[in-house]
Amino acid sequence: MFIMDAHCDTLMDVVEGRRRLADKDKGGQLDLPRMIEAGVSAQIFAIYVSKEYLPGAGARRALQFVDAFYREIEDNSDKLMFAITGSDVYKAREEGKIAALLSIEGGEALDGRIELLRIFYRLGVRLMTLTWSLRNELADGAFEGRTRGGLTRFGVEVVEEMDRLGMVVDVSHLSEAGFWDVLEVSKKPIIASHSNSKTLCSHPRNLTDEQAKAIAKKGGVIGVNFAGYFLGEGRRSLRGVIDHIDHLSATIGPEHVALGSDFDGLPFEQLPDELKDVSGLPKIADELAAQGYSEQAIKGIMGENLLRAVRSVIG
């Protein structure tokens, strides 16, 4: 089965020197040995610039992540392949390797400069969330809902340029007003890489049914997040993850649902016991099969839907 996850923060550990992707016994929730054990085919790795680098050093910090990512690709070339197109993902699969895609989590990495977006694209970044829940030069984030603020003029310029370049706009962490602005500005499919249903858990990071329907109408997908914060009270379990998959599948169709684990961006206590690390991903497929999901629907949710949406933008 093709398994693809829309979001992990593992590069933070690599940049800080805590471990490498080939290490299995140095903590963390995702690494190469356990990805291979789980049968993962493709993984999107995020660049996250924390607030101590802001303002002014976002791009410099992001480039440290790019360097760490490149080093991991070079040092594990027998197991990993850098993917910048959908064809690269298929090629990696044919060669028995895991396709690694690169994203930016938060437009703070641009330091307010559109030319930096183009430079990151040339370096292989193919997806970007516009904010990390707070306000930046592009938009208000999910935690700024009181302002009812959406995209700035610079944010509109960035979304338009992402469309032109062939970069996926990721609306996770974005304010609801910003979300609707993106729907108006972008002409391409968009994704929410690691967000859940607000109907089941009324958290600012989650999406309303109306937002979910709009993503599906545009040909995008929603990656279900494994964090207890976003699963809701009493749902920090595999069953809770399935509940969000069920609700989204019923609302927008299973063909618009994906996985967005958020591995290594969460404390272990926020993860379901059955999904403490990447090796647990096949349990989701098993549970969906036990519930009567079709083989086609399961394959889509486990990875094919995400690849379809991403490929429709990046080629």
Side-chain angles (χ1 to χ4, degrees), residues 5 7-10 12-13 18-19 27-30 48 105 132 173 194-196 203 205 224-231 236 241 260-272 275-277:
D5 176 41
H7 186 87
C8 77
D9 286 300
T10 309
M12 288 195 292
D13 280 353
R18 290 188 286 266
R19 62 191 177 99
Q29 298 153 6
L30 182 145
Y48 169 64
E105 184 176 24
W132 185 87
H173 286 287
H194 55 306
S195 296
N196 290 348
H203 191 285
R205 277 273 286 104
V224 172
N225 194 312
F226 300 171
Y229 309 116
F230 313 129
L231 293 172
R236 188 179 56 79
V241 172
S261 69
D262 212 352
F263 282 138
D264 290 320
L266 304 168
F268 278 96
E269 60 268 22
Q270 278 297 315
L271 287 166
L275 296 169
K276 288 297 187 187
D277 61 52

Side-chain angles (χ1 to χ4, degrees), residues 182-251:
V182 168
L183 265 290
E184 181 180 340
V185 174
S186 177
K187 309 306 179 189
K188 302 286 185 68
I190 64 173
I191 72 167
S193 61
H194 55 306
S195 296
N196 290 348
S197 168
K198 191 168 280 189
T199 298
L200 300 188
C201 176
S202 185
H203 191 285
R205 277 273 286 104
N206 286 343
L207 302 168
T208 65
D209 287 351
E210 290 70 28
Q211 288 175 294
K213 290 174 184 177
I215 289 172
K217 186 176 181 180
K218 214 169 179 65
V221 298
I222 298 169
V224 172
N225 194 312
F226 300 171
Y229 309 116
F230 313 129
L231 293 172
E233 188 68 29
R235 284 198 169 96
R236 188 179 56 79
S237 63
L238 174 59
R239 178 66 255 171
V241 172
I242 300 299
D243 284 346
H244 282 268
I245 291 175
D246 284 347
H247 179 80
L248 290 170
S249 294
T251 304

Side-chain angles (χ1 to χ4, degrees), residues 6-286:
H7 186 87
C8 77
D9 286 300
T10 309
L11 289 179
M12 288 195 292
D13 280 353
V14 178
V15 167
E16 294 298 328
R18 290 188 286 266
R19 62 191 177 99
R20 304 292 300 275
L21 282 182
D23 297 334
K24 185 177 181 181
D25 299 318
K26 292 188 178 180
Q29 298 153 6
L30 182 145
D31 51 49
L32 268 174
R34 285 179 288 183
M35 291 169 77
I36 293 168
E37 177 185 342
V40 172
S41 302
Q43 176 67 52
I44 299 174
F45 290 88
I47 293 168
Y48 169 64
V49 177
S50 51
K51 61 184 179 181
E52 62 262 34
Y53 295 93
L54 305 171
R60 185 185 69 190
R61 181 60 168 170
L63 287 171
Q64 289 180 299
F65 276 76
V66 174
D67 175 65
F69 179 81
Y70 272 64
R71 287 189 293 112
E72 291 298 330
I73 296 292
E74 291 164 0
D75 291 347
N76 299 283
S77 59
D78 58 329
K79 300 180 181 69
L80 274 180
M81 179 182 291
F82 190 6
I84 60 173
T85 66
S87 297
D88 290 340
V89 177
Y90 290 120
K91 183 179 179 183
R93 188 162 171 78
E94 289 171 1
E95 295 183 11
K97 299 177 183 179
I98 297 171
L101 294 88
L102 194 55
S103 70
I104 290 176
E105 184 176 24
E108 295 86 353
L110 303 183
D111 283 336
R113 308 292 303 192
I114 193 68
E115 58 267 30
L116 285 172
L117 178 71
R118 291 189 282 268
I119 289 169
F120 282 120
Y121 177 82
R122 293 182 185 111
L123 290 172
V125 175
R126 289 296 180 267
L127 308 92
M128 185 172 76
T129 59
L130 303 182
T131 70
W132 185 87
S133 292
L134 304 177
R135 176 180 294 170
N136 64 16
E137 297 95 338
L138 285 72
D140 278 3
F143 294 164
E144 300 286 356
R146 186 192 62 79
T147 67
R148 297 180 176 85
L151 293 182
T152 64
R153 284 178 293 177
F154 180 60
V156 170
E157 183 183 8
V158 166
V159 171
E160 290 176 340
E161 186 67 354
M162 289 177 72
D163 270 11
R164 187 189 73 82
L165 291 169
M167 290 180 70
V168 179
V169 178
D170 182 351
V171 295
S172 284
H173 286 287
L174 189 60
S175 68
E176 186 166 354
F179 172 91
W180 293 113
D181 283 347
V182 168
L183 265 290
E184 181 180 340
V185 174
S186 177
K187 309 306 179 189
K188 302 286 185 68
I190 64 173
I191 72 167
S193 61
H194 55 306
S195 296
N196 290 348
S197 168
K198 191 168 280 189
T199 298
L200 300 188
C201 176
S202 185
H203 191 285
R205 277 273 286 104
N206 286 343
L207 302 168
T208 65
D209 287 351
E210 290 70 28
Q211 288 175 294
K213 290 174 184 177
I215 289 172
K217 186 176 181 180
K218 214 169 179 65
V221 298
I222 298 169
V224 172
N225 194 312
F226 300 171
Y229 309 116
F230 313 129
L231 293 172
E233 188 68 29
R235 284 198 169 96
R236 188 179 56 79
S237 63
L238 174 59
R239 178 66 255 171
V241 172
I242 300 299
D243 284 346
H244 282 268
I245 291 175
D246 284 347
H247 179 80
L248 290 170
S249 294
T251 304
I252 60 177
E255 64 271 21
H256 298 290
V257 183
L259 304 180
S261 69
D262 212 352
F263 282 138
D264 290 320
L266 304 168
F268 278 96
E269 60 268 22
Q270 278 297 315
L271 287 166
D273 289 340
E274 307 94 330
L275 296 169
K276 288 297 187 187
D277 61 52
V278 67
S279 66
L281 289 182
K283 296 176 185 177
I284 297 174
D286 292 342

